[in-house]
Amino acid sequence: MFKKPLLLLLSYLPLSVSGAEFEFSLGAGFQYSGVIGTQFSVKHQESKYFISVGLPGYSLGMQTIVSDNEYHSAGFSLGEVQGIFDGDSRYGFITYNYHVDGFKNKGWVLGAGVGVFDEEPYTPLFSDERIDPSKKATVTLDIGYKF
């Protein structure tokens, strides 16, 4: 699932990292890969490219500034949540973030997104019944702190 999006993301990465900055953040929501997670990102000019690892999943994505005052950014996040009592789930979101102290500064980030959530078929614990959920549209609310 991630081969095409990963190649697309890598094609947007700058060839030179001389002007890039690295950023680490903690947060909750699908942009941080689940209930709670970490996000490691590379910022280049007005964009950032990130990889997240959290409880219980992982994701990758990109954000870019969409306003002159650098408080608003838009992008995407693709990831997978590992199922404990049900099937693994894959997701893709178009995201919007508000950076309380600005995109290029440390501080709080509030985010939201709309996208698709696709859960694999699974058999519940202590049951013989096979459950085959379908893809569904969903929203995400995210909060994080950039260090």
Side-chain angles (χ1 to χ4, degrees):
M1 173 189 164
F2 286 111
K3 288 181 184 177
K4 288 181 185 177
L6 182 59
L7 288 174
L8 180 65
L9 179 65
L10 291 175
S11 70
Y12 284 106
L13 285 173
L15 295 177
S16 169
V17 293
S18 62
E21 297 177 26
F22 298 96
E23 181 179 84
F24 174 76
S25 56
L26 293 173
F30 283 113
Q31 291 185 58
Y32 298 92
S33 303
V35 179
I36 188 167
T38 61
Q39 190 179 87
F40 177 75
S41 58
V42 176
K43 284 186 176 179
H44 182 72
Q45 297 175 353
E46 296 185 347
S47 297
K48 84 171 185 176
Y49 308 90
F50 64 86
I51 297 173
S52 299
V53 178
L55 182 63
Y58 57 90
S59 69
L60 57 90
M62 180 245 182
Q63 289 282 316
T64 191
I65 297 172
V66 293
S67 67
D68 291 338
N69 62 13
E70 299 184 356
Y71 288 94
H72 307 275
S73 66
F76 68 90
S77 180
L78 304 171
E80 183 173 34
V81 175
Q82 304 296 315
I84 297 171
F85 297 110
D86 55 5
D88 295 346
S89 304
R90 291 170 189 78
Y91 58 86
F93 287 96
I94 302 294
T95 58
Y96 162 80
N97 285 338
Y98 176 74
H99 303 264
V100 176
D101 296 317
F103 183 80
K104 296 181 180 177
N105 302 321
K106 299 175 183 180
W108 290 100
V109 179
L110 305 172
V114 294
V116 177
F117 193 79
D118 182 22
E119 190 174 357
E120 290 182 347
Y122 65 95
T123 303
L125 195 61
F126 306 117
S127 174
D128 293 331
E129 181 184 349
R130 182 98 172 137
I131 296 179
D132 191 8
S134 61
K135 290 182 184 178
K136 56 186 169 189
T138 189
V139 297
T140 180
L141 297 175
D142 306 285
I143 185 169
Y145 189 84
K146 302 182 290 184
F147 295 95

